[in-house]
Amino acid sequence: MKAAEKEEISVEDEAVDKTIFRDCSEIAFYRRQKQQLSKNATYQALLDSVTTEQDSTRFHVVSEANKIPLLVEVYGIEKNIFRLKINEETPLKPRYEVPDVITSKLRTVRLVSCSGDAGSLILTHDEGDLKCHISANPFKIDLVSENEPVISINSLGQLYFEHLQTPHKQRATKGNQESAPADTFQENQEDLGLWEEKFGKFVDVKANGPSSIGLDFSFHGFEHLYGIPQHAESHQLKNTRDGDAYRLYNLDVYGYQIHDKMGIYGSVPYLLAHKQGKTVAIFWLNASETLVEINTEPAVEYTLTQTGPVAAKQKVGCRTDVRWMSESGIIDVFLLTGPTPSDIFKQYSSLTGTQAMPPLFSLGYHQCRWNYEDEQDVKTVDAGFDEHDIPYDVMWLDIEHTEDKKYFTWDKKRFPNPRRMQELLRSKKRKLVVISDPHIKVDPDYSVYAKAKEQGFFVKNPEGGDFEGVCWPGLSSYLDFTNPKVREWYSSLFAFPAYQGSTDILFIWNDMNEPSVFRGPELTMQKNAVHYGNWEHRELHNIYGFYQQMATAEGLIQRSKGKERPFVLSRSFFAGSQKYGAVWTGDNAAEWNYLKISIPMLLTLSVSGISFCGADVGGFIGNPEAELLVRWYQAGAYQPFFRGHATMNTKRREPWLFGEEYTRLIREAIRERYTLLPYLYSVFYRVHMSSEPVMRPLWVEFPDDLETFSVDDEYMLGSALLVHPITEPQTTMADVFLPGSNEVWYDSKTFAQWKGGCTVKIPVTLDTIPVFQRGGSVVPTKTSVGKSTGWMPDSPYGLRLALSTQDSAVGELYLDDGHSFQYLQDQFLHRRFSFHSGVLINRCADEKGHYPSKCVVEQILVLGIGKKPSSVTTHSSDGKVQPAAFTYHAKTSTLSLEKLSLGIADDWEVHIR
């Protein structure tokens, strides 16, 4: 390893050094916007300028301060969505508008203009009762439903828009504007970072000058807000103080600090507000550095008058104000009006796309570390899983598998025969994932570098040469994934002839794609680097990793001639990344508080459209104690993406290295994951089709239960399972909140029944975490577990029925080949199970789907059945009736049916009398 490389790796050896990263007070556009409050910057709408286009209503607003008009466009979009765009009428040059995130051409609905009072305009949405009230002076927009304001825009007068200017030196030379005295300019420049901004030894030169934007939104009656990942913070967003805004700026923060609002690996500028009876959301489509301030004004009751014996009182509802500030671009914001959480998820996915349907293997367990040393190490670890009867699906290789950190290559000494290694994994029906980062080693003899340089495919520096920065290989250039031709070329690198040694069981991990630049400002790319279209990096920083994942996923699809689903894990992400694969929470630590914070972090990702998410099991940094490792496996088994990972120089921690008892506990956790795969895969199909998250905060399932709104130490997996991970050492008793006063819950281990709407104390030992099945649900399972998902397609199913207070239950099973896109050509099976009045019915849930399956249901477990039945019979679609053997357990009120042979694809009934 080279000295320079050692020096850079030392950056990654300690927990986060916050002096490397800016806080809000060190961000110039934040300081400028905060100073606005002391100036007369009120905007007025010029309603005599209103024009109605086919798809929008347009008018101008003008500031008291500079008199330069801004163009405002208001759109109505299908599914109760409003879009607001504010841009310069005639900018010196075009301002950046984020492409490629919105899924397709949006279907607009005509907004009908109604006459308002003098000085106002009312636009009505064809769908529902929504109205858009535009006030002229001062400029304000109120989104009104049932004559009550829901969201107000610019009610605090914080609309902020820095117009593009001629550079100061050109201005003085050209004489086209009166220039300020040099000393005054220098003073303003130093304080406000108008044309240059300093941070430590770095100077950010701004060719276009200051260009930031900002706007405030008020949510009326709302005090619970969620979203805007990624932060190591609580699920419910907190009020911010001056200098303590939530930062959205993708950064490589090794060992990030928890309960902190600093930006880390990904950014989704999307925020939800929820109250009883109503959910709304804001999607701020901007890829530059963004800061979000939040302030809740609680409900107050005040006295109107003291005359008479009873004082007249008036209650003013709570209101939460949210201020968005971005360094550049335009104001382009979508207002999603719900009214239910389910509606909000559908509305957001209609804009940015649904979660990609994952291949089934990717829902199994993944084994990773930096690094598995060589082919023999891979072979030994793979055999270790079999020897200890622990299923797993995917082996991972980090950067050391390459030749000198050159991606798409193999270290010839460590991995001399990668195809043979993959064939070994294939024989076990397992897969391989390897890493591919966006930095490319500067080496004329490296074909990827040489071809990219020849075609001009790297990000440029301000002088026009290739941008160069230091990362794992040493000096590197960075592919410009914002260029469609670069993405097309990068995708082609995954073709089997191009990627020597790769096979169709090899999938990809995109890391370091914030992008990470070891010696750059805040360990990332300088903001005045230049991308395709002559756009500065500052305009699109947060979307860089999104584009790499897009190109990688497309490459894997092309590799299979469009037949096979890709799997791509990306560390960096943006709104819409869900279309391309999975993400994770980055470089966490092997400490209890990181296990605990992973739950709200994953919940926040989930409600922000990215359902396929997880945290490194055991913690990436450091050495977990055995108890922590067990608890992390138990939590990860019930989360969407399930991978164990560790950094170099940590002790090896394969599941069998902590003694026989801990091996047993980890085995049980992983096997439980495989048992639940039919349920989990069905829940993924639901998020793919209808946007309901896989991992759900309680408030999503119980939107009118106020007690759920702040819960983030437990969650729903789908709609049927409530999971309460244990996140404290030596826990013997857990306080579990069971929502829903009309619900009944069943302990998944003991089958004990609990009434909802209260907190219960559950005894726990190291071999259990509290998991409850919701009354009224049916959970499909596998009755036996194979070495990997590839061994399990034909293994029998079980059904776990948990009866509601009405003695009924419903559930579903989705099934396809688990790997191809054939499900889009109706090659799938979708079954619906319903239980009512003692009869369990299996019927087709979607007549379009057809998929041959010889699988049978061999076990049915019914929880909450009040008395022993006198008989149980199975009824096939051809009228055949057969008695079924059963066992009734009076103590737990459970009925167990064994040794059944009911075709999963067939219509049948089970009668319990």
Side-chain angles (χ1 to χ4, degrees), residues 872-891:
V872 177
T873 52
T874 62
H875 298 244
S876 60
S877 57
D878 61 5
K880 192 174 183 180
V881 179
Q882 289 185 310
F886 65 89
T887 306
Y888 181 72
H889 303 273
K891 186 176 179 181

Side-chain angles (χ1 to χ4, degrees), residues 105-300:
K105 183 169 174 58
L106 299 174
R107 300 186 65 174
T108 58
V109 297
R110 192 172 180 85
L111 294 174
V112 180
S113 174
C114 308
S115 57
D117 301 330
S120 70
L121 172 69
I122 299 175
L123 303 175
T124 61
H125 200 294
D126 280 353
E127 301 176 359
D129 70 329
L130 290 168
K131 292 184 174 64
C132 187
H133 286 214
I134 302 166
S135 303
N137 195 11
F139 168 55
K140 182 180 75 156
I141 297 177
D142 291 307
L143 211 57
V144 175
S145 175
E146 297 177 355
N147 297 317
E148 292 288 333
V150 180
I151 305 174
S152 295
I153 303 171
N154 201 42
S155 61
L156 303 182
Q158 292 173 346
L159 170 58
Y160 187 92
F161 211 105
E162 293 178 331
H163 296 257
L164 299 181
Q165 303 173 46
T166 306
H168 178 70
K169 292 177 183 175
Q170 291 181 27
R171 206 183 310 168
T173 303
K174 293 178 181 177
N176 57 354
Q177 285 193 35
E178 190 175 325
S179 61
D183 57 345
T184 305
F185 173 81
Q186 187 64 32
E187 182 181 314
N188 288 341
Q189 160 59 39
E190 290 292 333
D191 182 43
L192 299 178
L194 299 171
W195 297 88
E196 287 186 358
E197 185 172 351
K198 295 179 181 176
F199 176 65
K201 65 181 181 181
F202 302 102
V203 179
D204 175 19
V205 177
K206 305 176 183 182
N208 300 310
S211 58
S212 78
I213 57 170
L215 190 59
D216 65 90
F217 300 81
S218 296
F219 295 92
H220 299 281
F222 294 88
E223 52 187 333
H224 294 89
L225 273 62
Y226 313 94
I228 56 171
Q230 186 180 37
H231 305 94
E233 257 293 9
S234 59
H235 178 52
Q236 182 184 344
L237 297 173
K238 297 175 179 176
N239 281 356
T240 58
R241 307 179 306 278
D242 280 354
D244 186 39
Y246 284 93
R247 189 181 186 200
L248 295 173
Y249 191 60
N250 297 353
L251 292 170
D252 178 1
V253 187
Y254 182 83
Y256 47 82
Q257 189 168 316
I258 63 172
H259 296 297
D260 196 291
K261 300 179 183 68
M262 72 182 295
I264 48 177
Y265 307 98
S267 298
V268 182
Y270 171 64
L271 181 147
L272 304 89
H274 178 71
K275 64 180 179 180
Q276 290 170 311
K278 187 78 171 176
T279 312
V280 296
I282 287 178
F283 176 34
W284 176 268
L285 182 53
N286 191 294
S288 69
E289 180 177 2
T290 296
L291 299 167
V292 183
E293 289 189 325
I294 298 170
N295 180 56
T296 299
E297 298 289 343
V300 295

